[in-house]
Amino acid sequence: MSSVTVKIPTPLRPLTSGQAEVKVEGATVGEILQKLDAQFRGFGDRILDDGKNVKRFVNVFVNEDNIRDKEDLDTEVKAGDTISILPSIAGGL
Amino acid sequence: MITIPASLLRRVYDHTEASYPYECCGLMIGAIGENKEVHAFRTCKNLNTERAHDRYDMDPLDMLRVEREFENSPWDIIGIYHSHPDHPSRPSQTDTDRAWPAYSYVIISVQKGTVATAQSWVLNEGERKFYEEPLITGDSK
Ligand SMILES: [Zn+2]
């Protein structure tokens, strides 16, 4: 098992009692997000579609890599990695 | 309420005027809380090149870079600014549809290349509606 640091963006911090980062153990991004969902009620609903995919308007990075460019939730992590959850920011006129 | 030092706000305005007639966007960094205080901002790339005159799509890599830059500081990403070329500084339907709670969304109206007005908005998630918050132009430190 690898312990990774997960960075929580401001809009999701009410779900993590205000914590900006959480340490979680797991082998893949999916496993780590499932554990966060178990730990923090409602967390999964905010970032996962039916628990299987990352929502369209959420970006998840492992270190500098967007998991969409890797193996999505199956992307493997190793000890010391940083997972960043970032809201997708867009709008217009 | 959000407080932005006048000198910072001027540089944000410079970004929006230099980008005219296209929309631009950036992140505001500072202290979280009921009363937000902006300490820095970073310009970000608008990935929507096809409709840059009326849409913005912030480059997630820019956001990642900003998060990393400030991760060991007492500050956080507290909001987003974007420009409305030749339109008022009120949120559009697209802005509301794509908004996240907690962030301040500062919208800057640029009329014929010059900043006309700026307003800050916060999403009420339950109502899916933006409410204006006071934007205070503070003294430069
Ligand atoms: Zn807008």
Side-chain angles (χ1 to χ4, degrees):
Chain A
M1 285 298 225
S2 324
S3 177
V4 306
T5 302
V6 184
K7 302 271 187 188
I8 312 294
T10 325
L12 297 184
R13 286 187 205 161
L15 297 173
T16 60
S17 328
Q19 294 175 80
E21 57 175 62
V22 183
K23 296 240 191 270
V24 189
E25 289 197 343
T28 63
V29 172
E31 196 181 330
I32 282 162
L33 295 182
Q34 295 294 349
K35 283 196 179 172
L36 281 173
D37 185 47
Q39 193 178 348
F40 304 110
R41 198 189 152 95
F43 195 85
D45 287 344
R46 296 307 301 270
I47 56 172
L48 299 173
D49 273 331
D50 54 49
K52 292 194 185 68
N53 292 296
V54 174
K55 278 187 195 283
R56 199 171 142 218
F57 298 137
V58 174
N59 293 297
V60 178
F61 287 86
V62 175
N63 302 324
E64 318 301 318
D65 300 316
N66 194 322
I67 62 167
R68 290 199 177 92
D69 302 328
K70 311 259 291 187
E71 276 99 316
D72 274 309
L73 293 178
D74 294 329
T75 305
E76 291 182 0
V77 295
K78 51 186 196 311
D81 279 351
T82 299
I83 295 181
S84 296
I85 298 170
L86 295 175
S88 147
I89 304 295
L93 288 180
Chain B
M1 178 176 107
I2 185 165
T3 305
I4 309 180
S7 59
L8 276 190
L9 191 59
R10 183 58 249 174
R11 282 158 55 209
V12 168
Y13 287 174
D14 289 346
H15 181 214
T16 66
E17 290 176 349
S19 307
Y20 182 89
Y22 300 114
E23 285 203 27
C24 71
C25 60
L27 290 167
M28 301 182 296
I29 299 98
I32 309 181
E34 271 301 291
N35 296 320
K36 299 189 184 102
E37 269 188 49
V38 178
H39 289 277
F41 76 95
R42 291 291 180 266
T43 63
C44 295
K45 208 185 304 154
N46 178 2
L47 290 183
N48 197 328
T49 48
E50 269 171 38
R51 292 189 60 178
H53 59 286
D54 70 348
R55 289 280 188 278
Y56 78 98
D57 214 331
M58 183 182 287
D59 187 345
L61 272 175
D62 281 343
M63 194 173 194
L64 182 73
R65 268 191 285 272
V66 172
E67 187 201 72
R68 291 290 153 79
E69 181 184 353
F70 289 94
E71 67 185 343
N72 295 316
S73 80
W75 302 328
D76 277 291
I77 294 170
I78 56 173
I80 296 103
Y81 70 85
H82 76 279
S83 58
H84 277 184
D86 298 315
H87 277 75
S89 46
R90 285 195 305 272
S92 65
Q93 189 58 48
T94 317
D95 288 332
T96 308
D97 290 345
R98 296 294 304 271
W100 289 80
Y103 289 138
S104 288
Y105 283 81
V106 171
I107 302 180
I108 298 150
S109 168
V110 184
Q111 303 282 346
K112 297 190 177 113
T114 304
V115 169
T117 54
Q119 287 169 281
S120 186
W121 305 86
V122 180
L123 184 77
N124 177 313
E125 208 182 12
E127 299 175 32
R128 247 358 273 172
K129 196 175 160 206
F130 268 118
Y131 283 92
E132 189 174 4
E133 66 176 346
L135 195 172
I136 312 294
T137 310
D139 291 331
S140 306
K141 284 177 188 150

